Amino acid sequence: QVQLVESGGGLVQAGGSLRLSCAASGRTFRSYAMGWFRQAPGKEREFVATISPSGGQSFYATSVKGRFTISRDNAENTVYLQMNSLKPEDTAVYYCNAGPSIIQVSGGVNAYWGQGTQVTVSS
């Protein structure tokens, strides 16, 4: 029902910044909570951040709190993840997801997923 396409990944030095984008299709975008997950090699998919449909509330994993910021532009059907002070342990494939609520999005259930974009942080 909704298609998600991530972009903005790449290679960055530790301490650097990167902004990921997730473009969504469909006019129901503003009804969805949105989120970001990541999966590092040998690790399970990990919750990163989520944002409410209106953008009024956002929540973060402890590991990224204070460094990452999730935002959305409902007029452009786009969700962003601004990543600052990047660390090598942030290296992962980052996935955008969408669901009915921030609870479902943060839990990775009943959600749509993008294809992922690779983020590599070198030291």
Side-chain angles (χ1 to χ4, degrees):
Q1 188 169 337
V2 59
Q3 294 178 328
L4 306 172
V5 180
E6 300 95 334
S7 62
L11 176 65
V12 65
Q13 285 273 356
S17 297
L18 204 61
R19 188 171 81 154
L20 306 183
S21 298
C22 174
S25 64
R27 57 175 172 263
T28 61
F29 174 80
R30 71 179 189 272
S31 297
Y32 287 96
M34 303 293 297
W36 289 95
F37 280 66
R38 66 187 182 186
Q39 188 167 21
K43 302 278 287 185
E44 294 184 349
R45 189 172 294 188
E46 174 191 25
F47 166 75
V48 174
T50 186
I51 189 167
S52 62
S54 69
Q57 290 188 331
S58 59
F59 300 93
Y60 301 88
T62 301
S63 59
V64 306
K65 192 177 299 181
R67 300 188 297 118
F68 291 10
T69 302
I70 188 171
S71 62
R72 66 191 296 161
D73 186 342
N74 286 349
E76 297 293 333
N77 282 10
T78 303
V79 177
Y80 304 96
L81 185 67
Q82 178 67 46
M83 305 184 293
N84 299 326
S85 301
L86 282 162
K87 306 174 181 179
E89 50 263 46
D90 294 319
T91 295
V93 177
Y94 282 71
Y95 298 90
C96 176
N97 73 324
S101 72
I102 58 174
I103 293 175
Q104 290 171 290
V105 166
S106 63
V109 297
N110 195 26
Y112 299 95
W113 295 89
Q115 85 289 346
T117 185
Q118 176 71 49
V119 173
T120 303
V121 184
S122 65
S123 58

